[in-house]
Amino acid sequence: MADTVYDVTTWTGASVTPQVDIGTVINEIIADVKTRQTTQDTRPGAVIYIPPGHYDLLTRVVIDISFLEIKGSGHGFLSNAIRDESDTTSWVETQPGASHVRVKNTDGHSEAFLVQRSGVPTTVGRLNGIVFRDFCLDGVSSTKPYTPGNGKTGVSMQSDNDAVRVEGMGFVYLEHAVVIRGADAASVTNNFIAECGSSIELTGASQVAKITNNYLISSWGGYSLFAENAEGVLVTGNSILWACNIHFTNVNRAIVSSNKLLSNFPSMISLVNGSSENLISANHFRRVYGDGESTRYDDLYGLVHIDGDQNSLTSNHFSFDVAAANVRPPGSDPTIVLVKGGAGNHLASNNISSNLPVKVVLDGNSTGTRLLHSATAAQLTAYTTDYSMVATP
């Protein structure tokens, strides 16, 4: 075997089999990589391969080297919630397949994978080019809404990082699926994240992260996508279902476009804490009523909530289909878009289809909002006179 390619099932340096504890095996492989790559010029990185099979992870994996790829042969996703709520006697299979890692964590830690280089300054501790690809991280068991849940995290990147990728992964039954702190050009794409408390979290600060082509099926306790202090995030081509909740706090110049958004709850996209100059365009919003109960927001919060400057909401389609008896507060007209505050926000060519009277609301702290064919005159409620409007005919 080449010095830079490791198969967890055949590597002879392991103290246990990967079926017993794949966490220990991967930690031992990383230690071996370090003995072989000891200088700046001898660190090309390594690949750790997880063949199809069921593996238990009892010990947290700590990744403190750059240019490491951990890959499987597919995430083999299977919905644990459907399995747990069904009679499975006639099913052909009842466990996720392909490269399936069960996160059991008997070592007292909550993460399956912690990406962190400790004991060095940020300028030297930065980790680069780490890739998670094509395997499943399964938290084994949990209950709705998964936050608070079993406390487990799939991938947690806590050192500043550059060009990390999470691709083709499956995440299920985890309180936090993917947490990336201090990301520069992170790519999270083509993943299937379901039955987790929060799907993707960009914490600390980040720039030009890319969240594309994912299935994000999360519950009402957490977030589909959470980002703070971020610059230039690209969110496109995702299917975000069940409790779609994209929450941006102090996020600037992001693009959220061409996503399919379906939720049983308000606050499908929220721009708060001065989030400014963001573009939300060509998305399909569908608001329905389903199981579960969220007390975080009521129907006056808005499917889109804006509190920042110079944001653009253009060419989106809103479909609202909730019985009047299920609207909260009772008897109110649901808010489709709430411009809570900020200057110069722009709403243009948005189409609203609803079974109930609905509102676009401008609060008194908003100034200079421009509405062009985004609400009829009857649908607008303005608590300010500082706006301009061309009503939808």
Side-chain angles (χ1 to χ4, degrees), residues 185-186 202 206-211 229-235 248 250-256 276-278:
L202 302 175
S206 64
Q207 59 180 346
V208 294
K210 182 176 69 173
I211 313 297
N229 309 321
E231 171 72 28
V233 180
L234 173 64
V235 184
F248 285 171
N250 189 32
V251 171
N252 302 305
R253 290 165 287 279
I255 297 175
V256 183
S276 298
E277 299 180 40
N278 299 289

Side-chain angles (χ1 to χ4, degrees), residues 188-268:
V188 183
T189 187
N190 291 329
N191 302 288
F192 203 124
I193 306 177
E195 295 149 29
C196 293
S198 287
S199 295
I200 301 168
E201 297 162 86
L202 302 175
T203 64
S206 64
Q207 59 180 346
V208 294
K210 182 176 69 173
I211 313 297
T212 59
N213 302 326
N214 300 286
Y215 279 100
L216 307 179
I217 308 173
S218 54
S219 190
W220 62 90
Y223 298 98
S224 309
L225 171 60
F226 173 88
E228 62 183 0
N229 309 321
E231 171 72 28
V233 180
L234 173 64
V235 184
T236 190
N238 301 285
S239 292
I240 306 179
L241 312 176
W242 191 12
C244 171
N245 192 341
I246 298 172
H247 187 83
F248 285 171
T249 175
N250 189 32
V251 171
N252 302 305
R253 290 165 287 279
I255 297 175
V256 183
S257 67
S258 302
N259 300 285
K260 170 61 180 175
L261 310 176
L262 169 66
S263 187
N264 299 334
F265 310 99
S267 185
M268 296 173 72

Side-chain angles (χ1 to χ4, degrees), residues 301-323:
Y301 190 84
L303 300 188
V304 175
H305 183 103
I306 297 173
D307 194 356
D309 300 334
Q310 298 292 337
N311 296 289
S312 294
L313 181 71
T314 64
S315 302
N316 299 282
H317 183 93
F318 294 90
S319 296
F320 189 95
D321 187 11
V322 176

Side-chain angles (χ1 to χ4, degrees), residues 19-193:
Q19 290 78 15
V20 170
D21 186 7
I22 195 172
T24 289
V25 175
I26 295 176
N27 281 331
E28 290 173 343
I29 289 172
I30 292 171
D32 188 74
V33 173
K34 290 178 182 178
T35 67
R36 298 172 184 272
Q37 302 179 20
T38 57
T39 71
Q40 289 178 319
D41 293 334
T42 61
R43 290 179 178 151
V47 173
I48 299 173
Y49 174 56
I50 304 172
H54 300 296
Y55 306 90
D56 286 347
L57 187 146
L58 309 183
T59 305
R60 178 181 68 182
V61 176
V62 178
I63 298 174
D64 56 0
I65 58 174
S66 292
F67 315 123
L68 181 69
E69 179 173 352
I70 302 178
K71 69 174 184 178
S73 287
H75 60 62
F77 188 85
L78 179 145
S79 172
N80 284 346
I82 293 175
R83 178 199 65 191
D84 293 345
E85 296 168 359
S86 304
D87 179 358
T88 62
T89 54
S90 63
W91 287 27
V92 176
E93 60 272 317
T94 57
Q95 290 290 326
S99 303
H100 175 216
V101 176
R102 292 178 288 225
V103 181
K104 295 188 174 179
N105 282 95
T106 60
D107 63 346
H109 296 293
S110 61
E111 311 95 344
F113 290 88
L114 174 64
V115 179
Q116 185 172 57
R117 181 178 277 160
S118 301
V120 290
T122 300
T123 51
V124 238
R126 192 178 189 85
L127 288 161
N128 305 287
I130 294 169
V131 180
F132 296 89
R133 182 157 66 89
D134 294 332
F135 64 96
C136 179
L137 287 174
D138 173 4
V140 183
S141 65
S142 193
T143 55
K144 298 174 186 176
Y146 313 125
T147 300
N150 56 22
K152 296 178 181 179
T153 299
V155 173
S156 179
M157 302 188 186
Q158 290 302 313
S159 285
D160 286 355
N161 54 84
D162 187 16
V164 300
R165 306 199 323 261
V166 181
E167 299 179 347
M169 294 285 290
F171 298 87
V172 63
Y173 273 177
L174 299 160
E175 189 163 338
H176 304 273
V178 179
V179 181
I180 307 178
R181 178 189 176 278
D184 187 350
S187 177
V188 183
T189 187
N190 291 329
N191 302 288
F192 203 124
I193 306 177

